[in-house]
Protein backbone atom coordinates (compact mmCIF):
# COMPACT_ATOMS: atom_id res chain seq x y z
CA UNK A 1 0.00 0.00 0.00
CA UNK A 2 1.37 3.39 -1.00
CA UNK A 3 0.75 6.23 1.42
CA UNK A 4 -0.98 9.34 0.07
CA UNK A 5 -3.59 11.95 0.97
CA UNK A 6 -6.14 9.88 -0.94
CA UNK A 7 -5.24 6.75 1.04
CA UNK A 8 -5.66 8.66 4.32
CA UNK A 9 -9.10 9.91 3.20
CA UNK A 10 -10.17 6.46 2.00
CA UNK A 11 -9.09 4.70 5.21
CA UNK A 12 -10.59 7.43 7.39
CA UNK A 13 -13.98 6.86 5.78
CA UNK A 14 -13.64 3.13 6.50
CA UNK A 15 -12.68 3.56 10.14
CA UNK A 16 -8.95 3.03 9.49
CA UNK A 17 -9.50 -0.72 9.26
CA UNK A 18 -8.02 -1.21 5.79
CA UNK A 19 -4.39 -0.32 6.50
CA UNK A 20 -1.94 -3.09 5.64
CA UNK A 21 1.00 -3.95 7.97
CA UNK A 22 4.07 -1.84 7.23
CA UNK A 23 6.14 -4.98 6.59
CA UNK A 24 5.77 -8.75 6.62
CA UNK A 25 6.78 -11.13 9.42
CA UNK A 26 8.40 -13.91 7.35
CA UNK A 27 9.96 -17.13 8.54
CA UNK A 28 13.66 -17.33 7.67
CA UNK A 29 14.52 -19.24 4.50
CA UNK A 30 17.34 -21.83 4.52
CA UNK A 31 19.58 -19.69 2.31
CA UNK A 32 19.91 -16.09 1.05
CA UNK A 33 22.20 -14.39 -1.41
CA UNK A 34 22.99 -11.78 1.25
CA UNK A 35 22.42 -11.85 5.00
CA UNK A 36 22.79 -8.60 6.95
CA UNK A 37 23.33 -8.84 10.71
CA UNK A 38 21.71 -5.85 12.40
CA UNK A 39 18.24 -4.46 11.80
CA UNK A 40 19.07 -0.87 12.68
CA UNK A 41 19.16 2.06 10.30
CA UNK A 42 22.38 0.98 8.55
CA UNK A 43 21.33 -2.64 8.06
CA UNK A 44 17.87 -1.73 6.80
CA UNK A 45 19.21 0.99 4.51
CA UNK A 46 21.73 -1.48 3.08
CA UNK A 47 18.96 -3.97 2.30
CA UNK A 48 16.81 -1.22 0.78
CA UNK A 49 19.54 0.00 -1.58
CA UNK A 50 20.62 -3.55 -2.46
CA UNK A 51 17.09 -4.17 -3.73
CA UNK A 52 16.42 -0.74 -5.22
CA UNK A 53 19.75 0.19 -6.77
CA UNK A 54 21.35 -3.19 -7.49
CA UNK A 55 18.38 -5.52 -7.98
CA UNK A 56 19.45 -7.96 -5.25
CA UNK A 57 16.25 -8.95 -3.43
CA UNK A 58 17.15 -12.37 -2.00
CA UNK A 59 18.26 -10.62 1.19
CA UNK A 60 17.57 -11.16 4.90
CA UNK A 61 18.04 -8.61 7.67
CA UNK A 62 18.48 -10.28 11.05
CA UNK A 63 17.55 -8.25 14.14
CA UNK A 64 18.01 -9.73 17.59
CA UNK A 65 15.16 -7.64 19.05
CA UNK A 66 12.53 -5.50 17.31
CA UNK A 67 13.01 -2.91 14.57
CA UNK A 68 13.97 0.42 16.15
CA UNK A 69 15.19 -1.05 19.44
CA UNK A 70 18.85 -0.15 18.91
CA UNK A 71 20.78 3.02 18.17
CA UNK A 72 18.50 4.08 15.30
CA UNK A 73 15.82 4.75 17.94
CA UNK A 74 18.25 5.99 20.61
CA UNK A 75 19.86 9.16 19.26
CA UNK A 76 19.31 12.91 18.99
CA UNK A 77 18.13 12.85 15.34
CA UNK A 78 20.75 15.28 13.94
CA UNK A 79 21.71 15.34 10.25
CA UNK A 80 24.66 17.38 8.95
CA UNK A 81 27.69 17.29 6.67
CA UNK A 82 29.91 19.95 8.26
CA UNK A 83 33.11 17.89 8.22
CA UNK A 84 36.68 19.01 7.53
CA UNK A 85 38.65 16.10 6.11
CA UNK A 86 38.41 14.68 2.58
CA UNK A 87 37.77 11.20 4.01
CA UNK A 88 34.61 12.39 5.74
CA UNK A 89 33.23 15.45 3.97
CA UNK A 90 32.12 13.92 0.62
CA UNK A 91 30.62 10.92 2.40
CA UNK A 92 28.47 12.90 4.84
CA UNK A 93 27.45 15.30 2.06
CA UNK A 94 26.25 12.29 0.06
CA UNK A 95 24.24 11.27 3.11
CA UNK A 96 22.68 14.71 3.43
CA UNK A 97 21.73 14.72 -0.25
CA UNK A 98 20.10 11.30 0.16
CA UNK A 99 18.17 12.59 3.19
CA UNK A 100 16.85 15.47 1.09
CA UNK A 101 15.07 13.13 -1.32
CA UNK A 102 14.42 10.26 1.05
CA UNK A 103 10.71 10.71 1.83
CA UNK A 104 9.71 10.72 -1.83
CA UNK A 105 12.14 7.87 -2.45
CA UNK A 106 10.58 5.37 -0.03
CA UNK A 107 7.07 6.90 0.31
CA UNK A 108 7.25 7.49 4.07
CA UNK A 109 7.24 10.65 6.16
CA UNK A 110 10.62 10.73 7.93
CA UNK A 111 9.93 14.27 9.20
CA UNK A 112 13.12 15.68 7.65
CA UNK A 113 13.60 19.25 8.89
CA UNK A 114 16.50 21.26 7.45
CA UNK A 115 16.41 23.87 10.20
CA UNK A 116 20.19 24.41 10.28
CA UNK A 117 23.06 23.32 12.52
CA UNK A 118 25.01 26.03 14.36
CA UNK A 119 28.38 25.23 15.99
CA UNK A 120 29.29 27.96 18.48
CA UNK A 121 32.86 29.12 19.06
CA UNK A 122 34.16 30.78 22.22
CA UNK A 123 37.74 31.85 21.45
CA UNK A 124 39.92 33.19 18.66
CA UNK A 125 41.47 29.77 18.21
CA UNK A 126 38.08 28.13 17.76
CA UNK A 127 37.05 30.85 15.32
CA UNK A 128 40.12 30.13 13.20
CA UNK A 129 39.44 26.38 13.32
CA UNK A 130 35.81 26.89 12.24
CA UNK A 131 36.93 29.26 9.48
CA UNK A 132 39.22 26.52 8.18
CA UNK A 133 36.45 23.95 8.38
CA UNK A 134 33.97 26.26 6.65
CA UNK A 135 36.44 26.91 3.84
CA UNK A 136 37.06 23.17 3.44
CA UNK A 137 33.30 22.62 3.24
CA UNK A 138 32.95 25.31 0.58
CA UNK A 139 35.76 23.71 -1.45
CA UNK A 140 33.73 20.50 -1.49
CA UNK A 141 30.58 22.36 -2.55
CA UNK A 142 28.99 22.18 0.91
CA UNK A 143 27.17 25.20 2.32
CA UNK A 144 28.80 26.99 5.27
CA UNK A 145 28.36 30.46 6.83
CA UNK A 146 30.54 32.00 9.55
CA UNK A 147 28.41 34.14 11.86
CA UNK A 148 29.73 36.82 14.20
CA UNK A 149 28.49 37.38 17.73
CA UNK A 150 25.67 39.74 16.80
CA UNK A 151 24.37 37.48 14.05
CA UNK A 152 24.18 34.61 16.53
CA UNK A 153 22.53 36.86 19.13
CA UNK A 154 19.88 37.93 16.62
CA UNK A 155 19.05 34.30 15.89
CA UNK A 156 19.37 32.88 19.44
CA UNK A 157 18.97 35.73 21.97
CA UNK A 158 18.41 33.36 24.91
CA UNK A 159 22.02 32.06 24.93
CA UNK A 160 24.45 33.22 27.63
CA UNK A 161 26.70 35.46 25.52
CA UNK A 162 28.53 37.03 28.45
CA UNK A 163 29.35 33.91 30.44
CA UNK A 164 32.59 34.69 32.26
CA UNK A 165 34.17 31.37 31.33
CA UNK A 166 32.55 30.69 27.93
CA UNK A 167 31.66 33.92 26.12
CA UNK A 168 30.10 33.34 22.70
CA UNK A 169 32.05 34.97 19.84
CA UNK A 170 30.12 33.51 16.89
CA UNK A 171 29.35 30.26 15.13
CA UNK A 172 29.61 28.16 11.99
CA UNK A 173 26.20 27.58 10.40
CA UNK A 174 25.20 24.87 7.95
CA UNK A 175 21.70 25.82 6.82
CA UNK A 176 21.00 22.46 5.14
CA UNK A 177 21.65 20.51 8.32
CA UNK A 178 18.86 19.75 10.74
CA UNK A 179 16.95 16.81 12.17
CA UNK A 180 15.24 13.63 10.97
CA UNK A 181 12.73 11.58 12.95
CA UNK A 182 14.79 8.56 14.03
CA UNK A 183 12.14 5.85 14.38
CA UNK A 184 10.50 6.97 11.12
CA UNK A 185 13.83 6.35 9.39
CA UNK A 186 13.85 2.77 10.68
CA UNK A 187 10.21 2.18 9.71
CA UNK A 188 10.60 3.81 6.31
CA UNK A 189 13.65 1.79 5.31
CA UNK A 190 12.11 -1.41 6.71
CA UNK A 191 8.91 -0.85 4.75
CA UNK A 192 10.79 0.11 1.57
CA UNK A 193 13.03 -2.97 1.75
CA UNK A 194 10.11 -5.28 2.49
CA UNK A 195 8.15 -3.92 -0.48
CA UNK A 196 11.06 -4.97 -2.71
CA UNK A 197 11.15 -8.54 -1.41
CA UNK A 198 13.67 -8.33 1.45
CA UNK A 199 12.93 -10.54 4.48
CA UNK A 200 13.12 -8.63 7.77
CA UNK A 201 13.44 -11.19 10.53
CA UNK A 202 13.00 -9.84 14.04
CA UNK A 203 13.83 -11.60 17.33
CA UNK A 204 16.57 -13.52 15.56
CA UNK A 205 19.91 -13.22 17.36
CA UNK A 206 23.08 -14.41 15.67
CA UNK A 207 24.98 -16.80 17.94
CA UNK A 208 27.70 -17.99 15.58
CA UNK A 209 29.23 -17.62 12.12
CA UNK A 210 29.91 -20.86 10.25
CA UNK A 211 33.02 -20.93 8.03
CA UNK A 212 34.48 -23.47 5.62
CA UNK A 213 37.71 -23.17 3.59
CA UNK A 214 38.09 -19.45 4.30
CA UNK A 215 34.56 -18.36 3.42
CA UNK A 216 31.37 -17.83 5.42
CA UNK A 217 28.65 -20.38 4.71
CA UNK A 218 26.00 -18.97 7.03
CA UNK A 219 25.06 -17.92 10.55
CA UNK A 220 23.79 -19.79 13.56
CA UNK A 221 20.80 -17.98 15.08
CA UNK A 222 18.20 -18.43 17.78
CA UNK A 223 15.86 -19.37 14.92
CA UNK A 224 18.13 -21.95 13.36
CA UNK A 225 20.93 -21.98 10.79
CA UNK A 226 20.64 -19.55 7.86
CA UNK A 227 22.97 -20.00 4.89
CA UNK A 228 24.24 -17.09 2.79
CA UNK A 229 26.36 -16.22 -0.20
CA UNK A 230 27.59 -12.99 1.39
CA UNK A 231 27.44 -11.80 4.98
CA UNK A 232 27.33 -8.12 5.99
CA UNK A 233 27.88 -7.05 9.59
CA UNK A 234 26.06 -3.85 10.61
CA UNK A 235 25.65 -4.43 14.33
CA UNK A 236 26.74 -0.98 15.63
CA UNK A 237 27.87 -1.22 19.27
CA UNK A 238 27.80 -5.02 19.12
CA UNK A 239 30.08 -5.17 16.07
CA UNK A 240 33.05 -6.43 18.09
CA UNK A 241 30.99 -9.26 19.59
CA UNK A 242 29.67 -10.42 16.22
CA UNK A 243 33.04 -10.05 14.46
CA UNK A 244 34.71 -12.24 17.10
CA UNK A 245 32.46 -15.09 15.93
CA UNK A 246 34.38 -14.95 12.64
CA UNK A 247 37.80 -14.65 14.29
CA UNK A 248 38.03 -10.91 13.66
CA UNK A 249 39.30 -8.52 16.35
CA UNK A 250 38.20 -4.97 15.58
CA UNK A 251 39.89 -1.66 16.57
CA UNK A 252 36.66 -0.62 18.31
CA UNK A 253 35.49 0.10 21.86
CA UNK A 254 31.82 0.14 22.87
CA UNK A 255 30.60 3.00 25.06
CA UNK A 256 27.23 4.24 26.26
CA UNK A 257 25.99 7.58 24.92
CA UNK A 258 22.98 9.04 26.70
CA UNK A 259 20.34 11.31 25.21
CA UNK A 260 17.59 13.26 26.92
CA UNK A 261 14.27 14.95 26.20
CA UNK A 262 12.49 17.61 28.25
CA UNK A 263 8.84 18.38 28.81
CA UNK A 264 7.06 20.04 25.90
CA UNK A 265 7.67 23.78 25.55
CA UNK A 266 6.58 26.53 23.19
CA UNK A 267 8.96 26.84 20.20
CA UNK A 268 12.11 28.82 20.96
CA UNK A 269 15.05 26.86 19.45
CA UNK A 270 14.66 26.87 15.68
CA UNK A 271 17.91 25.07 14.80
CA UNK A 272 20.41 22.58 16.20
CA UNK A 273 22.92 24.29 18.51
CA UNK A 274 26.24 22.87 19.72
CA UNK A 275 28.28 24.22 22.64
CA UNK A 276 31.88 24.79 21.54
CA UNK A 277 33.32 25.10 25.07
CA UNK A 278 32.21 21.60 26.03
CA UNK A 279 30.32 18.76 24.42
CA UNK A 280 26.61 19.61 24.40
CA UNK A 281 24.09 19.75 21.57
CA UNK A 282 20.39 20.62 21.61
CA UNK A 283 17.39 21.01 19.33
CA UNK A 284 13.62 21.16 19.78
CA UNK A 285 11.34 18.45 18.48
CA UNK A 286 8.09 19.05 16.64
CA UNK A 287 6.23 18.07 19.83
CA UNK A 288 8.05 20.80 21.79
CA UNK A 289 10.48 18.68 23.79
CA UNK A 290 14.12 19.75 23.96
CA UNK A 291 16.31 16.91 22.68
CA UNK A 292 19.91 17.06 23.91
CA UNK A 293 23.02 15.08 24.73
CA UNK A 294 26.72 15.32 25.51
CA UNK A 295 29.68 13.10 26.32
CA UNK A 296 30.04 9.35 26.45
CA UNK A 297 29.76 7.77 29.87
CA UNK A 298 33.50 7.17 29.89
CA UNK A 299 33.69 3.41 30.38
CA UNK A 300 33.21 0.38 28.15
CA UNK A 301 29.68 -1.01 28.28
CA UNK A 302 27.02 -2.86 26.29
CA UNK A 303 24.17 -1.58 28.48
CA UNK A 304 21.54 0.74 26.96
CA UNK A 305 21.54 2.95 30.04
CA UNK A 306 24.04 5.33 31.61
CA UNK A 307 25.09 6.81 34.94
CA UNK A 308 23.94 9.85 36.88
CA UNK A 309 27.35 11.57 36.77
CA UNK A 310 26.97 12.04 33.01
CA UNK A 311 23.39 13.25 33.45
CA UNK A 312 24.67 15.93 35.83
CA UNK A 313 27.52 16.89 33.48
CA UNK A 314 25.21 17.27 30.47
CA UNK A 315 22.72 19.30 32.51
CA UNK A 316 25.48 21.63 33.75
CA UNK A 317 26.79 22.24 30.22
CA UNK A 318 23.28 22.93 28.98
CA UNK A 319 22.67 25.44 31.75
CA UNK A 320 26.00 27.17 31.05
CA UNK A 321 24.84 27.70 27.46
CA UNK A 322 21.13 28.38 28.10
CA UNK A 323 20.51 29.56 31.70
CA UNK A 324 16.72 29.20 31.35
CA UNK A 325 17.14 25.40 31.14
CA UNK A 326 17.37 25.41 34.95
CA UNK A 327 13.59 25.83 35.03
CA UNK A 328 12.84 23.00 32.57
CA UNK A 329 11.94 19.48 33.70
CA UNK A 330 13.63 16.50 32.10
CA UNK A 331 11.06 14.01 30.85
CA UNK A 332 13.11 10.92 30.00
CA UNK A 333 16.49 9.61 28.87
CA UNK A 334 17.87 6.67 26.93
CA UNK A 335 21.22 5.21 25.97
CA UNK A 336 22.76 3.88 22.78
CA UNK A 337 25.85 1.70 22.41
CA UNK A 338 28.48 3.57 20.40
CA UNK A 339 31.05 1.57 18.42
CA UNK A 340 33.96 3.98 18.89
CA UNK A 341 36.75 3.46 16.36
CA UNK A 342 40.36 4.39 17.07
CA UNK A 343 40.27 7.57 14.97
CA UNK A 344 36.61 8.51 15.37
CA UNK A 345 35.74 7.64 11.76
CA UNK A 346 33.80 4.68 10.32
CA UNK A 347 34.88 1.43 8.70
CA UNK A 348 33.19 0.12 5.51
CA UNK A 349 35.32 -2.63 4.01
CA UNK A 350 35.87 -6.27 3.17
CA UNK A 351 37.49 -8.49 5.79
CA UNK A 352 40.02 -11.34 5.75
CA UNK A 353 37.22 -13.70 4.68
CA UNK A 354 36.29 -13.34 1.01
CA UNK A 355 32.52 -13.00 1.51
CA UNK A 356 32.42 -11.23 4.89
CA UNK A 357 31.88 -7.46 4.87
CA UNK A 358 32.02 -4.94 7.69
CA UNK A 359 30.13 -1.74 8.45
CA UNK A 360 31.13 -0.40 11.88
CA UNK A 361 32.95 2.24 13.94
CA UNK A 362 30.37 5.01 13.60
CA UNK A 363 31.06 6.75 16.91
CA UNK A 364 28.80 9.83 17.19
CA UNK A 365 28.14 9.99 13.44
CA UNK A 366 26.05 6.89 12.91
CA UNK A 367 22.55 8.29 12.58
CA UNK A 368 23.37 11.18 10.26
CA UNK A 369 25.23 8.71 8.02
CA UNK A 370 22.40 6.17 7.80
CA UNK A 371 21.45 6.83 4.17
CA UNK A 372 24.98 7.02 2.72
CA UNK A 373 26.16 4.14 4.88
CA UNK A 374 23.41 1.92 3.51
CA UNK A 375 24.01 3.05 -0.06
CA UNK A 376 27.80 2.58 0.08
CA UNK A 377 27.64 -0.73 1.97
CA UNK A 378 25.13 -2.02 -0.59
CA UNK A 379 27.56 -0.95 -3.33
CA UNK A 380 30.36 -2.88 -1.63
CA UNK A 381 28.22 -6.00 -1.16
CA UNK A 382 26.87 -5.90 -4.72
CA UNK A 383 30.05 -5.03 -6.63
CA UNK A 384 32.82 -6.16 -4.28
CA UNK A 385 34.55 -2.77 -4.50
CA UNK A 386 34.25 0.36 -2.36
CA UNK A 387 32.14 3.32 -3.38
CA UNK A 388 34.23 6.39 -4.26
CA UNK A 389 33.28 8.19 -1.04
CA UNK A 390 34.36 5.31 1.23
CA UNK A 391 37.74 4.41 -0.26
CA UNK A 392 39.54 5.88 2.75
CA UNK A 393 37.32 4.02 5.27
CA UNK A 394 39.36 0.83 4.97
CA UNK A 395 39.83 -1.47 7.93
CA UNK A 396 43.59 -1.70 7.43
CA UNK A 397 44.13 2.06 7.72
CA UNK A 398 44.98 1.59 11.38
CA UNK A 399 47.78 -0.78 10.42
CA UNK A 400 48.99 1.46 7.58
CA UNK A 401 48.79 4.70 9.60
CA UNK A 402 46.26 6.46 7.33
CA UNK A 403 43.81 7.59 10.01
CA UNK A 404 40.81 9.84 9.29
CA UNK A 405 41.32 11.84 12.47
CA UNK A 406 38.63 14.54 12.20
CA UNK A 407 39.25 15.93 15.70
CA UNK A 408 43.05 15.57 15.69
CA UNK A 409 42.85 13.49 18.88
CA UNK A 410 45.00 10.53 17.83
CA UNK A 411 44.16 6.86 18.15
CA UNK A 412 42.10 7.10 21.34
CA UNK A 413 38.46 6.02 20.89
CA UNK A 414 37.08 7.62 24.06
CA UNK A 415 38.18 11.16 23.07
CA UNK A 416 36.35 11.09 19.72
Amino acid sequence: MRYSALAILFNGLRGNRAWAPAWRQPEPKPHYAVVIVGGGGHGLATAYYLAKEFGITNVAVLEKSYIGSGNVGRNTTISRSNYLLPGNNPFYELSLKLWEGLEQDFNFNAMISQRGVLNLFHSDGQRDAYTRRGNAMRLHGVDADLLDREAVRKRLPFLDFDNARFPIHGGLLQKRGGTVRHDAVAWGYARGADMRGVDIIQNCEVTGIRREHGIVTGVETTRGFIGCGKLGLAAAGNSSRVAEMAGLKLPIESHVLQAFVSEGLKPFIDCVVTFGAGHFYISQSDKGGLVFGGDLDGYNSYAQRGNLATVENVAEEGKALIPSLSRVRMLRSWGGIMDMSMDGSPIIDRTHLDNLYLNAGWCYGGFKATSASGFCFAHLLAKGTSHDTTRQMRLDRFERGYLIDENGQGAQPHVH
Side-chain angles (χ1 to χ4, degrees):
M1 176 181 289
R2 285 191 62 82
Y3 297 142
S4 66
L6 186 61
I8 293 172
L9 176 62
F10 172 77
N11 281 278
L13 294 174
R14 300 189 61 182
N16 287 309
R17 291 189 294 271
W19 292 109
W23 57 83
R24 299 169 292 120
Q25 302 290 336
E27 290 296 318
K29 295 188 293 189
H31 190 277
Y32 292 90
V34 179
V35 167
I36 299 168
V37 179
H42 292 222
L44 293 168
T46 301
Y48 174 77
Y49 290 116
L50 273 172
K52 178 179 180 290
E53 300 292 335
F54 302 101
I56 302 174
T57 58
N58 186 19
V59 178
V61 178
L62 310 184
E63 169 54 45
K64 71 174 182 178
S65 185
Y66 60 88
I67 296 300
S69 61
N71 289 356
V72 70
R74 294 170 173 269
N75 59 76
T76 50
T77 75
I78 298 170
S79 62
R80 59 184 177 87
S81 62
N82 53 353
Y83 282 77
L84 171 67
L85 299 182
N88 281 330
N89 191 291
F91 174 82
Y92 285 98
E93 177 62 11
L94 171 64
S95 195
L96 192 55
K97 287 178 178 177
L98 288 171
W99 284 129
E100 289 171 333
L102 189 63
E103 293 170 319
Q104 292 75 25
D105 193 22
F106 62 26
N107 182 229
F108 198 86
N109 182 15
M111 300 173 67
I112 296 169
S113 175
Q114 291 181 285
R115 60 187 67 183
V117 174
L118 178 63
N119 301 124
L120 300 175
F121 57 80
H122 307 265
S123 67
D124 291 343
Q126 275 194 322
R127 178 202 60 216
D128 294 345
Y130 281 7
T131 300
R132 180 183 177 217
R133 186 196 296 187
N135 286 333
M137 291 166 63
R138 289 281 184 104
L139 288 171
H140 282 99
V142 181
D143 62 305
D145 295 288
L146 196 70
L147 305 185
D148 62 16
R149 177 187 175 99
E150 293 311 310
V152 174
R153 188 193 296 273
K154 183 177 180 180
R155 183 168 186 143
L156 302 168
F158 50 83
L159 301 181
D160 188 355
F161 286 84
D162 300 313
N163 186 299
R165 293 180 64 193
F166 314 116
I168 296 170
H169 294 311
L172 180 65
L173 174 66
Q174 184 182 25
K175 294 178 181 177
R176 290 170 50 246
T179 61
V180 187
R181 175 78 184 196
H182 45 21
D183 44 12
V185 170
W187 301 334
Y189 272 125
R191 179 175 175 274
D194 176 85
M195 288 172 61
R196 288 165 171 80
V198 172
D199 283 355
I200 298 171
I201 304 171
Q202 301 177 82
N203 301 305
C204 182
E205 183 175 359
V206 172
T207 57
I209 296 176
R210 191 180 294 181
R211 294 167 285 163
E212 292 181 10
H213 309 298
I215 64 170
V216 172
T217 58
V219 290
E220 305 285 353
T221 78
T222 52
R223 297 180 64 172
F225 176 76
I226 301 174
C228 64
K230 294 181 179 180
L231 180 63
L233 305 183
N238 288 296
S239 294
S240 296
R241 283 175 161 176
V242 178
E244 282 178 359
M245 299 176 189
L248 186 63
K249 186 173 178 60
L250 299 181
I252 285 174
E253 292 181 358
S254 294
H255 291 258
V256 179
L257 177 63
Q258 297 188 68
F260 311 89
V261 65
S262 77
E263 60 184 326
L265 304 171
K266 291 182 178 180
F268 81 104
I269 298 180
D270 64 352
C271 64
V272 180
V273 185
T274 72
F275 184 35
H279 193 191
F280 176 83
Y281 37 92
I282 187 168
S283 63
Q284 190 165 16
S285 74
D286 293 338
K287 294 198 296 184
L290 302 179
V291 183
F292 54 95
D295 282 327
L296 300 168
D297 273 46
Y299 55 88
N300 301 133
S301 174
Y302 291 104
Q304 291 180 315
R305 60 185 183 276
N307 63 45
L308 289 175
T310 300
V311 178
E312 182 180 19
N313 178 67
V314 172
E316 286 177 346
E317 290 198 31
K319 186 175 176 295
L321 179 63
I322 308 173
S324 57
L325 287 185
S326 62
R327 301 192 296 274
V328 176
R329 290 176 292 186
M330 189 184 297
L331 185 64
R332 61 190 175 91
S333 67
W334 58 90
I337 309 170
M338 301 295 101
D339 42 331
M340 306 296 294
S341 66
M342 300 300 290
D343 61 357
S345 295
I347 303 163
I348 300 180
D349 199 7
R350 306 179 69 141
T351 70
H352 67 297
L353 300 174
D354 285 344
N355 62 338
L356 178 63
Y357 301 81
L358 178 66
N359 180 329
W362 288 98
C363 305
Y364 287 92
F367 178 73
K368 71 179 75 69
T370 300
S371 53
S373 167
F375 186 89
C376 294
F377 198 37
H379 182 283
L380 178 63
L381 283 162
K383 295 182 175 295
T385 58
S386 297
H387 188 270
D388 286 344
T389 61
T390 59
R391 293 192 186 279
Q392 296 188 44
M393 296 179 180
R394 292 169 50 174
L395 177 59
D396 68 353
R397 70 177 186 267
F398 303 100
E399 179 182 2
R400 297 182 300 117
Y402 287 87
L403 304 187
I404 312 174
D405 189 358
E406 185 74 25
N407 292 330
Q409 301 277 23
Q412 304 175 70
H414 66 283
V415 299
H416 287 284

